[in-house]
Amino acid sequence: MNRVVHPIEEESYRRLRARLDTSHFPPLTRAVVERVIHSAADLDYATDLVMDEGDLEKAHAALHAGAPVVVDVEMVGAGITRRETVCRLKDAVAGPGLTRSAHAIRLAYEQVGPGALWVIGNAPTALEELLTLDASPALVIGLPVGFVGAVESKAALRESGLPAVSNVSEKGGSAVAAAALNALLYHPTSDPEEKS
C-alpha cells in the first residue's frame, strides 16, 4: 500500500521515539505499539498492550490477502481509513441476556464466517459474545474501554488462546482499536523487517 505520511505524523512519531525506545520490539509489534500510542498520546500502552509477533504476522498476511474486517461500532470503522469494514450494530436488537452489541457480533459472524479480523474497541459484551462463537479469527483486536467488563473480557480473550491484541487495563476505545488495525494495514508487505 502506497501511503503518503503527513509531516505532522512524521514529527509525532519522531517525538514519540524520542520519549520512548521502541526499537526492542519486533517489527509488527512495534508498529502496533507505536500507532496505538500515537492515537492516544499515552506512552503507558507500551507496557499495557499484549500481543504475539507470530500472531501478528499471520494476521498481517490475512489482512493483505483480503480477509474481512469486522468492527463492533461505526466509530471503529471510521478510524480504519483504507479498508471497508463490516458493522452490524444498526441491524442488531437487544434481548433477554443479550446486548445489542453482542447481537451485532452474531449478525456479523453470520455474514463473514471464519477467518476475519475482529476489531472491538467499544463494547466488552461484543468481545464476550465473539468468544462464544467458533469464529476461527485471523486476529481479534480486543481493546474495549470501560470500568464494567472491559478488563474481564480482555483477560478472557487472552485466556482463550485466540490470536489477539489486547491490553490489561480498563483503557481502550475506538481510536486505539482502529489504530492497532491500521498498524497492520499500513505496514509494508514486501519487507517485514522494514519499520514504519
Side-chain angles (χ1 to χ4, degrees):
M1 164 181 294
N2 291 332
R3 179 175 170 265
V4 177
V5 178
H6 193 280
I8 292 172
E9 183 178 337
E10 287 180 354
E11 177 61 13
S12 181
Y13 271 81
R14 187 195 66 73
R15 291 183 187 192
L16 183 162
R17 290 170 180 154
R19 293 177 64 182
L20 178 71
D21 180 9
T22 59
S23 64
H24 63 284
F25 289 117
L28 290 170
T29 300
R30 181 182 188 198
V32 171
V33 168
E34 288 185 345
R35 190 146 296 274
V36 166
I37 289 172
H38 175 261
S39 74
D42 186 345
L43 297 173
D44 289 342
Y45 275 109
T47 55
D48 192 41
L49 287 165
V50 179
M51 67 198 94
D52 175 78
E53 184 73 6
D55 290 343
L56 295 179
E57 289 170 358
K58 291 174 189 166
H60 182 261
L63 180 64
H64 288 277
V69 177
V70 180
V71 298
D72 64 331
V73 292
E74 293 288 344
M75 195 163 206
V76 173
I80 298 170
T81 55
R82 296 183 177 249
R83 188 64 182 271
E84 292 296 317
T85 61
V86 173
C87 182
R88 297 297 303 274
L89 192 59
K90 289 180 182 176
D91 306 315
V93 293
L98 186 71
T99 66
R100 193 167 152 238
S101 295
H103 186 227
I105 294 299
R106 287 185 190 178
L107 294 173
Y109 178 64
E110 289 171 6
Q111 180 178 337
V112 303
L117 288 90
W118 295 80
V119 188
I120 298 173
N122 185 60
T125 59
L127 182 52
E128 291 164 2
E129 184 63 25
L130 179 60
L131 296 177
T132 69
L133 303 175
D134 187 20
S136 299
L139 184 71
V140 179
I141 296 174
L143 294 168
V145 62
F147 295 113
V148 179
V151 168
E152 295 83 357
S153 67
K154 291 180 277 192
L157 172 59
R158 290 189 298 278
E159 291 166 10
S160 75
L162 294 174
V165 173
S166 69
N167 68 311
V168 296
S169 73
E170 295 94 350
K171 294 189 296 189
S174 298
V176 297
L181 190 281
N182 284 337
L184 298 177
L185 194 58
Y186 299 161
H187 201 275
T189 55
S190 58
D191 182 4
E193 295 302 314
E194 186 177 328
K195 294 181 172 97
S196 58

